[in-house]
Amino acid sequence: MDHDQRFKTLLRAFFDDFLRLFFADWAARLDLSRVEWLDTELFHDPPDGSRHALDIVAKVPIADTARSAATASLLLVHIEIEASDRTTQLASRLPYYYYFLRDKYRLPVLPIVLYLKVGLNGIGVEHCVEKLWDLEVGRFQYLYVGLPGLDGVEYAKGDNWLGVALSVLMKIPPDRVAWLGAEALRRLTRAPLNEQQRFLLGECVQAYLPLDDEQKLQFEGLLQSGTYVEVRAMNQTVYEKGIEKGRQEGQVELVASLIEERFGPIPEGVRQELKRLPLQDLRRLALRIGAAASLADLGLAAS
């Protein structure tokens, strides 16, 4: 599963948690109970121009408490996920994305970048400037989160469950990496989450926990202790079924249960489709369920 798909699914499933965790002042200005997901395709000079896919675009009402100071009743939140270890690749495209969205929807746009490998100051405002010799002809600003610039131990102890999962991408002292991974998973097993949410957050921890050989032994040793018995049970239920141990039937049942939790009972034809999918495709499908609006969005027949 690539970074973009994983984090698109995570941020759509935990959109309000993301804003409250990193941009609480902005979250307080918005009514996060009524989010509308918008088309993210951008066509340059249609019909024959290039095509871009923005990561996440949400239309969000401005809260009544902030309405008097706003020029509109709605706001677009545009989030880009950047997995590169540089800021330059994305920064030059952001102004173009901004003006495209502003012109298309005639609404103010809040641009945010989530950096997976660039820390900067952790959380802040970044800008890109265009100059013509000494003349500054354009300045564009955007909010950012640089995960490697944040304290992973502090976020792993927090009460925002998305923050607990993302802590594995933050700064972690080498002697605490194994502990943080085990502790994050332990806390997620006890969190008030549904099965789909727990799967997405736990899968993120498993995918990004940065273990070298020695830390992996420490991590596995921790999971064998009584403190983390719940994590072993979750691993068996969520990850080992049809993934690590290659049990196709178990993975089919896991994906089917996640689909039923979101959309209700699934037709037998859909279950048969799942049985024909390779294990890796089943894993990708599981990560997409939270962001899907229908079975059709998952590429599955409804009947």
Side-chain angles (χ1 to χ4, degrees):
M1 172 59 59
D2 60 57
H3 301 294
D4 275 1
Q5 184 58 60
R6 178 179 280 112
F7 280 92
K8 285 177 190 177
T9 302
L10 263 181
L11 295 189
R12 287 183 66 158
F14 295 93
F15 181 73
D16 53 342
D17 295 282
F18 173 79
L19 291 179
R20 292 186 178 111
L21 178 64
F22 297 121
F23 305 107
D25 290 345
W26 282 97
R29 297 173 177 139
L30 304 175
D31 180 358
L32 296 172
S33 67
R34 295 188 291 144
V35 176
E36 178 185 348
W37 305 111
L38 299 183
D39 179 20
T40 61
E41 286 194 321
L42 181 159
F43 292 95
H44 182 69
D45 293 333
D48 300 320
S50 60
R51 172 187 172 277
H52 300 272
L54 309 185
D55 287 339
I56 293 175
V57 182
K59 184 192 295 184
V60 188
I62 294 173
D64 292 340
T65 53
R67 190 70 61 83
S68 60
T71 57
S73 60
L74 295 166
L75 178 78
L76 299 186
V77 179
H78 169 214
I79 303 176
E80 285 294 309
I81 299 131
E82 183 55 56
S84 171
D85 59 1
R86 296 178 294 167
T87 64
T88 52
Q89 291 184 346
L90 177 63
S92 62
R93 302 196 304 268
L94 287 173
Y96 174 55
Y97 295 164
Y98 172 86
Y99 288 112
F100 170 84
L101 292 171
R102 192 80 170 85
D103 289 345
K104 180 175 180 178
Y105 294 101
R106 304 294 179 184
L107 290 172
V109 181
L110 175 63
I112 302 174
V113 176
L114 175 63
Y115 290 114
L116 306 186
K117 296 180 181 179
V118 176
L120 299 177
N121 293 318
I123 301 170
V125 179
E126 188 70 344
H127 65 270
C128 48
V129 175
E130 183 177 354
K131 285 187 173 183
L132 186 62
W133 284 283
D134 295 330
L135 177 66
E136 184 178 299
V137 294
R139 174 180 288 266
F140 179 79
Q141 295 189 105
Y142 59 94
L143 302 179
Y144 74 83
V145 181
L147 293 178
L150 300 173
D151 186 334
V153 173
E154 289 303 309
Y155 278 85
K157 295 177 180 177
D159 294 329
N160 184 299
W161 304 115
L162 177 65
V164 172
L166 294 181
S167 66
V168 299
L169 288 129
M170 300 176 186
K171 288 186 295 189
I172 312 170
D175 62 344
R176 304 206 73 185
V177 173
W179 167 84
L180 185 143
E183 188 63 13
L185 289 173
R186 184 191 68 82
R187 298 197 66 219
L188 291 175
T189 64
R190 299 182 176 184
L193 302 166
N194 61 40
E195 188 175 5
Q196 168 71 3
Q197 291 171 328
R198 203 181 318 278
F199 172 81
L200 291 173
L201 296 178
E203 197 274 343
C204 179
V205 173
Q206 294 276 10
Y208 291 104
L209 184 64
L211 298 171
D212 60 25
D213 290 343
E214 182 178 349
Q215 292 163 339
K216 186 174 182 180
L217 290 175
Q218 294 172 357
F219 177 70
E220 292 172 349
L222 285 171
L223 296 192
Q224 295 307 310
S225 68
T227 304
Y228 298 104
V229 63
E230 296 159 296
V231 176
R232 294 201 302 275
M234 183 173 74
N235 281 349
Q236 173 63 32
T237 302
V238 177
Y239 306 107
E240 292 181 0
K241 282 185 177 180
I243 301 178
E244 282 83 359
K245 292 186 177 179
R247 295 178 183 170
Q248 177 85 14
E249 183 178 348
Q251 181 68 356
V252 168
E253 290 306 312
L254 170 63
V255 174
S257 68
L258 295 175
I259 292 174
E260 288 184 335
E261 183 171 307
R262 181 161 178 79
F263 301 114
I266 60 176
E268 181 58 28
V270 169
R271 189 175 294 273
Q272 294 304 317
E273 278 191 73
L274 296 178
K275 290 180 179 180
R276 291 191 290 269
L277 291 176
L279 287 173
Q280 192 59 35
D281 288 351
L282 286 167
R283 183 182 175 94
R284 293 191 185 99
L285 187 63
L287 291 171
R288 291 167 48 207
I289 293 169
S294 67
L295 289 177
D297 287 349
L298 297 172
L300 300 172
S303 59

